[in-house]
Amino acid sequence: MNERPPSSCSTEPLHASHHCFASPRFADESAVLADAYRLLDDAVIRYEGQPVGTMASLDPRAPADNYRDCFVRDFVSAAFLMLIEGRSDVVREFLAMILRMRGQQEELEGQQIAPGVLPASFRVVTLDDGSEQLSADFGDRAIGRVAPVDSMMWWTVLLRAYVRFTGDTAFAHTPEVQRGLRMILSLCLQSRFEVFPTLLVPDGSFMIDRRMGVNGHPLEIQALFDMTLRAADLLTVDEGSHWLIDLARRRRGVLRDYVRRYYWLDIDRLNEVHRFSTEKFGHDVDNVFNIYPESIPEWVADWLPDDGGYFVGNLGPGRIDFRFFSQGNYLATMAGLASPRQGGLQMNTLADRWDDLIGQMPAKLVYPPVRGAEWRLMTGSDPKNVPWSYHNGGNWPVLIWPLVAASIVAGRQDLGERAFHVAERRLMNDSWPEYYDGRHGRLIGRRANLHQVWSATGMLLARHFLEDPGQLAALALIEDGPPEEDARTPPDQGGGAT
Ligand code: GLC
């Protein structure tokens, strides 16, 4: 554990001041930073006087009541920022409180509570007698009743960042945290009907929290799963967790090989898929998922650069989802789930397809959108998710931080800088929208909230990474050891199962 000296940034009020940054990058930058910090400050949620999180949006016209909640996934960028800026006490309180809320989950008739599931969001309710109560949503109230699978993963990633950044191993070793971690890892590692090393989830179980054809084995969940498994190193062995630590380590190895091999798409792989023979039984077949070449969408062959590649969005029996999902791709590169070669090729794709993946606001959440009959069937005719909007091809400012992190890890910080430059010049003037619309993200999202907090914290965090790339290691977001290439023999999984 690397003990870190306390940050020299101020601790009061909540935000650290933007003087944490060395020098302004352009004339109005200090105004932009001040506005971002103001939004962050105004969004702080306090419980019994202590800051414990931030609201998702301060827009009074936000369409749903729960935008005033603190979402676990939304808070993560604010939490990384707070660690860097000397407010680790807030992060610790948040981590401990989220764990305590587990007990609030209501039992559904005839079902056992999944013990590792953490809430999507929570709020502080003031009762008539003036006392405060925490009220959590485990997906039982959320629009569409979606399961927040990513919450427990983001919590784990944040826990590891907190422990590594502050050196506070004592917190990780408390019985509550050990129990929480064991539950999360056991839940993720429990086998049900799995034949793949990837994690099977329902639709809308992560940042894309609506019907969008992202059920099955979506890339973003696999990238978070990989990062979650790493946190097994926080378990103490004396608690009888040896088997769990070992299982997590082995699963992670298999998961990595599998994602690197089967999710990866470059022109050679596309050629293979294009000429696949089908209906093959047995171990030694190349088309293990029985993909019909006819299912390759027309856009792919023209879009995929010669010297590029990326991870496809989803994979399962008879199914490759060829869409480019930014968050999953960038997290995979940041955390080393992508091999160094793959990370480099992914950055070539970003450079070659800049207008599609960045355009006028980083970054496109999903490229390309689904339309027509596919949109009707996949989204259930969702008017928020019309083509080039919201989750269906909208541009989300929060994605600037994983993008910048990936660009640094892949040795293409120039791309991160360029994307950051596009974002920082627009966001304040547009009042920090949640997302942008259009093929190139030129318009503010039709139904987007303004004053969306993670649009500001994502930018501030990316700014820290660009200024001091060492923060990625300090937050344990990148691989500890030297990067390993894809040298290992591909696993049998996926092959043997069909
Ligand atoms: C939307 C987003 C989700 C986010 C929430 C709060 O539902 O899809 O990812 O957590 O808003 O900002």
Side-chain angles (χ1 to χ4, degrees):
M1 292 297 149
N2 50 344
E3 283 290 344
R4 304 199 114 230
S7 161
S8 56
C9 292
S10 65
T11 51
E12 291 298 335
L14 174 80
H15 71 249
S17 80
H18 55 272
H19 300 304
C20 281
F21 295 113
S23 52
R25 301 157 55 92
F26 62 98
D28 297 337
E29 197 196 21
S30 44
V32 175
L33 295 175
D35 203 51
Y37 279 114
R38 200 173 310 125
L39 177 56
L40 171 60
D41 252 0
D42 291 348
V44 166
I45 294 178
R46 288 186 160 76
Y47 178 61
E48 294 174 348
Q50 156 81 24
V52 287
T54 48
M55 287 178 245
S57 164
L58 295 191
D59 191 337
R61 299 162 314 151
D65 177 43
N66 62 346
Y67 274 109
R68 291 273 160 172
D69 282 15
C70 174
F71 281 72
V72 172
R73 76 174 72 85
D74 290 44
F75 183 63
V76 168
S77 47
F80 289 153
L81 196 66
M82 288 179 192
L83 287 175
I84 294 172
E85 298 186 349
R87 288 309 304 256
S88 55
D89 58 315
V90 180
V91 178
R92 184 190 160 116
E93 196 50 38
F94 170 84
L95 289 165
M97 221 184 58
I98 292 289
L99 263 193
R100 287 202 298 274
M101 276 182 224
R102 261 203 357 260
Q104 282 193 12
Q105 190 175 8
E106 279 170 36
E107 206 161 335
L108 299 174
E109 182 64 25
Q111 279 177 229
Q112 252 188 349
I113 298 177
V117 178
L118 297 182
S121 69
F122 72 89
R123 66 180 62 181
V124 177
V125 183
T126 308
L127 303 177
D128 288 345
D129 63 2
S131 62
E132 289 177 337
Q133 207 172 50
L134 294 165
S135 163
D137 171 40
F138 289 84
D140 48 326
R141 279 183 289 144
I143 297 168
R145 303 287 185 267
V146 277
V149 178
D150 66 338
S151 278
M152 62 180 173
M153 298 174 155
W154 280 120
W155 180 88
T156 309
V157 171
L158 183 58
L159 171 72
R160 193 157 177 271
Y162 167 81
V163 173
R164 292 287 284 272
F165 199 93
T166 60
D168 184 3
T169 38
F171 177 67
H173 291 167
T174 55
E176 298 76 39
V177 172
Q178 287 290 305
R179 201 176 313 122
L181 208 48
R182 273 201 306 274
M183 279 178 166
I184 290 168
L185 287 169
S186 315
L187 183 65
C188 290
L189 289 167
Q190 218 169 63
S191 290
R192 288 177 197 270
F193 308 111
E194 279 301 347
V195 286
F196 308 122
T198 38
L199 201 69
L200 178 68
V201 293
D203 215 341
S205 63
F206 54 104
M207 177 181 177
I208 299 179
D209 55 357
R210 294 160 92 90
R211 236 182 102 179
M212 262 292 286
V214 289
N215 54 315
H217 303 90
L219 176 66
E220 182 172 327
I221 285 286
Q222 311 317 322
L224 286 169
F225 185 27
D226 172 58
M227 293 166 83
T228 301
L229 291 174
R230 287 204 299 209
D233 64 5
L234 296 177
L235 283 176
T236 50
V237 230
D238 50 298
E239 293 278 341
S241 305
H242 223 309
W243 66 275
L244 197 54
I245 297 171
D246 186 51
L247 191 61
R249 192 186 47 76
R250 285 187 291 130
R251 178 69 169 267
R252 185 158 178 251
V254 184
L255 175 73
R256 298 201 132 197
D257 288 344
Y258 179 91
V259 170
R260 286 178 178 189
R261 175 169 182 192
Y262 293 113
Y263 279 64
W264 183 249
L265 188 76
D266 55 18
I267 195 66
D268 293 341
R269 177 70 176 160
L270 185 62
N271 259 310
E272 261 175 58
V273 178
H274 180 66
R275 294 170 53 78
F276 262 160
S277 51
T278 58
E279 313 299 338
K280 299 287 187 207
F281 176 81
H283 287 292
D284 299 320
V285 297
D286 54 357
N287 186 3
V288 295
F289 304 99
N290 199 32
I291 305 293
Y292 296 106
E294 292 77 3
S295 70
I296 302 174
E298 218 179 278
W299 62 270
V300 180
D302 295 330
W303 193 78
L304 188 66
D306 285 342
D307 61 345
Y310 65 95
F311 290 119
V312 296
N314 213 324
L315 186 66
R319 173 187 192 194
I320 296 181
D321 183 339
F322 287 90
R323 287 176 291 173
F324 181 101
F325 287 75
S326 291
Q327 171 110 308
N329 266 286
Y330 300 142
L331 290 180
T333 293
M334 174 190 77
L337 174 59
S339 71
R341 188 184 67 88
Q342 290 172 333
L345 292 172
Q346 187 197 89
M347 287 296 125
N348 290 350
T349 304
L350 175 61
D352 284 1
R353 296 290 172 251
W354 188 263
D355 288 347
D356 294 330
L357 298 177
I358 303 294
Q360 308 213 15
M361 178 53 65
K364 186 69 75 192
L365 183 59
V366 179
Y367 180 88
V370 287
R371 312 150 183 272
E374 204 180 5
W375 165 77
R376 272 197 302 282
L377 293 171
M378 199 181 266
T379 71
S381 301
D382 184 346
K384 267 191 105 168
N385 276 335
V386 290
W388 303 116
S389 188
Y390 201 44
H391 300 141
N392 188 17
N395 291 36
W396 289 63
V398 66
L399 297 177
I400 188 66
W401 83 258
L403 187 159
V404 161
S407 76
I408 291 170
V409 170
R412 293 298 308 269
Q413 189 166 334
D414 58 310
L415 295 177
E417 287 271 3
R418 202 173 135 201
F420 184 81
H421 201 60
V422 176
E424 70 178 346
R425 286 177 177 275
R426 269 188 93 185
L427 286 172
M428 179 181 84
N429 285 342
D430 294 346
S431 304
W432 311 99
E434 180 186 17
Y435 62 93
Y436 285 76
D437 281 354
R439 179 181 281 272
H440 300 128
R442 188 155 181 221
L443 302 169
I444 297 173
R446 176 171 291 158
R447 298 169 192 236
N449 300 325
L450 302 180
H451 314 292
Q452 182 80 15
V453 177
W454 69 359
S455 297
T457 51
M459 191 205 76
L460 294 171
L461 184 62
R463 175 79 165 77
H464 272 295
F465 291 156
L466 287 172
E467 195 167 284
D468 178 7
Q471 299 289 8
L472 284 167
L475 293 168
L477 292 175
I478 61 177
E479 194 67 271
D480 292 331
E484 6 111 29
E485 259 316 334
D486 13 25
R488 276 192 277 176
T489 327
D492 204 22
Q493 274 83 351
T498 47

